[in-house]
């Protein structure tokens, strides 16, 4: 260390010690100063912020002008630009690679969006370019050394065997071969763009008339059958909702009545009633009163009604006690 550096360090240490001593002797000076000059401090801060923002705007405009000039020169002199780039690349290979990496990370989203747009515009060309890149990597010895694990191999073999079994089963059943095929991401994006464009375009009156003329009207009997089934399902839902509420309120009473009738039938030599489904059947009959389509909610009318009637039996299991 030179004498000049030693003297500078000693002077800096002495000034720091003096500043610390003065601050310790006047602990409230800075707070009082801020209180006395608060408006002036705020004014200076605003002026500094405005000046800083103006300097940043000027710097941004200056850089943009330089970029525009460089782009204009490159457009007018493409060969000279390419030669200058090659000279810089050969003279500074590491700096060139680092600049490429920095540009990629700064504009990663824009680059990916441009690539997706190119692939969507021509997916076949994108697939061909990807295959050529793979071939070049293999020729250069950069082929991936990845290999599947034993568990992965077993999984692959299981899938292949299952696919072969399904193919044999389809052949024995006389069904056609599987028509599904793999679609890569560029082709999917191309299809999505085409579909969006097709459904987003506005149709003229002539187009609508032509489309309607291509379709045959639905037969009236099918329309009537659909309306009939829809109305029946609506009635069943309403009746089951009423029956469920009625059964929840009168379950004890209904079960006691069914048990009493079952004992009387048993004493008379007849089979007893089902103590699980019979109370729900009484609730279903009560809920069906007043409906013109009450027959659609009979125990044998649909699987939905049957499941509702046998809910208790499914939960509790068989029981033959009276």
């Amino acid at each position: 260390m030179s004498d000049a550096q030693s003297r500078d360090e000693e002077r800096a240490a002495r000034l720091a010690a003096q500043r610390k001593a003065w601050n310790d002797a006047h602990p409230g000076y800075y707070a009082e100063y801020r209180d006395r000059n608060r408006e002036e401090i705020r004014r200076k801060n605003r002026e500094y912020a405005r000046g800083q923002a103006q300097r940043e705007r000027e710097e941004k405009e200056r850089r943009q002008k330089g970029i525009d000039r460089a782009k204009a020169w490159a457009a007018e002199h493409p060969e000279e630009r390419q030669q200058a780039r090659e000279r810089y690349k050969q003279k500074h290979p590491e700096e060139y690679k680092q600049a490429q990496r920095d540009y990629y990370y700064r504009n990663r989203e824009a680059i990916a969006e441009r690539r997706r747009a190119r692939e969507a515009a021509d997916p076949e060309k994108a697939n061909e370019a990807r295959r050529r890149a793979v071939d070049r990597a293999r020729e250069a010895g950069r082929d991936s050394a990845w290999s599947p694990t034993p568990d992965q191999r077993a999984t692959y073999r299981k899938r292949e065997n299952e696919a072969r079994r399904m193919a044999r089963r389809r052949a024995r059943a006389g069904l056609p071969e599987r028509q599904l095929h793999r679609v890569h991401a560029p082709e999917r994006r191309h299809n999505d763009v085409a579909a969006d464009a097709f459904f987003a375009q506005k149709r003229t009156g002539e187009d609508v008339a032509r489309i309607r003329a291509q379709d045959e009207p639905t037969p009236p009997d099918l329309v009537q059958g659909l309306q009939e089934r829809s109305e029946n399902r609506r009635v069943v839902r309403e009746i089951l909702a009423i029956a469920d509420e009625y059964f929840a309120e009168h379950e004890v009473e209904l079960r006691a009545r069914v048990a009493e009738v079952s004992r009387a039938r048993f004493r008379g030599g007849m089979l007893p009633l089902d103590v699980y489904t019979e109370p729900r059947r009484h609730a279903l009959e009560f809920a069906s009163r007043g409906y013109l389509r009450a027959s659609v909610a009979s125990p044998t009318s649909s699987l939905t009604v049957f499941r509702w009637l046998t809910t208790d039996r499914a939960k509790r299991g068989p029981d033959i006690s009276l």
Side-chain angles (χ1 to χ4, degrees):
M1 182 181 296
S2 62
D3 295 340
Q5 292 177 348
S6 300
R7 287 194 298 272
D8 291 342
E9 290 183 358
E10 292 177 359
R11 182 172 180 275
R14 185 171 61 255
L15 292 176
Q18 292 175 358
R19 189 181 303 108
K20 184 177 184 305
W22 192 91
N23 290 336
D24 293 341
H26 306 82
Y29 173 79
Y30 293 106
E32 294 174 359
Y33 177 84
R34 286 192 294 270
D35 292 338
R36 292 195 308 270
N37 303 276
R38 189 176 301 278
E39 295 300 328
E40 182 67 14
I41 293 173
R42 290 178 176 175
R43 184 185 63 79
K44 291 182 178 180
N45 288 340
R46 288 193 295 269
E47 291 179 356
Y48 174 80
R50 284 194 292 267
Q52 183 68 17
Q54 181 63 25
R55 288 189 294 272
E56 292 178 357
R57 287 194 295 270
E58 294 175 355
E59 178 64 19
K60 185 176 180 179
E61 292 176 359
R62 185 187 66 79
R63 293 185 60 185
Q64 187 61 40
K65 289 180 180 179
I67 293 173
D68 295 339
R69 286 196 303 271
K71 288 183 177 180
W73 181 87
E76 295 176 359
H77 308 83
E79 296 182 358
E80 296 179 6
R81 173 180 178 273
Q82 184 63 25
Q83 294 174 1
R85 172 176 290 184
E86 290 297 330
R87 288 195 301 269
Y88 180 85
K89 182 178 179 180
Q90 296 176 2
K91 188 176 181 180
H92 308 282
E94 295 300 328
E95 289 81 354
Y96 179 81
K97 292 180 181 179
Q98 185 62 39
Q100 293 290 319
R101 288 191 292 267
D102 294 342
Y103 176 82
Y104 172 76
Y105 285 111
R106 285 198 310 270
N107 305 275
R108 185 184 306 179
E109 295 297 332
I111 293 173
E113 185 62 30
R114 290 197 296 268
R115 184 185 70 251
R116 286 192 290 268
R118 290 196 303 269
E119 293 176 349
D122 194 348
E124 185 59 31
K125 182 179 178 180
N127 293 336
E128 183 62 26
R130 189 178 296 105
R131 286 191 290 268
R132 289 197 303 267
V134 173
D135 294 339
R136 288 195 301 269
R138 289 176 178 173
E139 293 175 359
R142 297 194 302 271
D143 193 9
S144 175
W146 176 86
S147 60
T149 62
D151 293 340
Q152 289 173 333
R153 289 195 184 94
T155 302
Y156 298 156
R157 285 194 296 270
K158 182 178 179 181
R159 292 177 181 174
E160 293 173 357
N161 295 336
E162 182 64 24
R164 294 192 188 97
R165 282 194 294 269
M166 290 297 297
R168 290 193 295 268
R169 291 174 59 185
R170 283 196 298 268
R172 287 194 298 267
L175 299 176
E177 296 183 358
R178 187 181 184 187
Q179 300 297 322
L180 298 179
H181 62 280
R182 184 178 180 183
V183 179
H184 294 284
E187 187 174 355
R188 286 200 303 271
R189 287 193 288 268
H190 175 74
N191 296 338
D192 292 340
V193 172
D196 293 339
F198 176 80
F199 289 106
Q201 63 180 341
K202 293 183 178 180
R203 310 288 181 179
T204 63
E206 297 178 356
D207 295 337
V208 175
R210 186 177 64 255
I211 293 173
R212 288 178 175 175
Q214 295 174 355
D215 299 331
E216 297 181 358
T218 305
D221 55 339
L222 295 181
V223 175
Q224 183 178 359
L226 176 62
Q227 295 174 348
E228 183 76 15
R229 289 192 297 273
S230 299
E231 181 64 20
N232 290 343
R233 292 192 182 97
R234 184 189 65 81
V235 172
V236 169
R237 286 196 299 269
E238 292 182 359
I239 291 177
L240 289 182
I242 298 173
D244 199 43
E245 183 178 357
Y246 179 82
F247 180 77
E249 294 180 357
H250 304 83
E251 180 179 4
V252 178
E253 179 183 351
L254 291 173
R255 291 191 183 280
R257 187 184 308 168
V258 170
E260 182 180 356
V261 174
S262 295
R263 286 193 293 267
R265 289 170 60 89
F266 183 75
R267 287 193 297 268
M270 294 183 292
L271 292 177
L273 299 175
D274 190 337
V275 295
Y276 295 119
T277 59
E278 193 65 20
R280 285 183 172 271
R281 191 182 65 80
H282 284 292
L284 189 66
E285 291 179 355
F286 173 83
S288 302
R289 296 173 184 173
Y291 278 91
L292 298 177
R293 298 172 178 260
S295 59
V296 299
S298 63
T300 58
S301 61
S302 65
L303 182 60
T304 304
V305 178
F306 177 76
R307 286 176 176 173
W308 185 84
L309 288 172
T310 58
T311 299
D312 290 343
R313 179 177 293 279
K315 290 180 178 178
R316 304 184 185 184
D319 188 356
I320 60 173
S321 61
L322 295 179

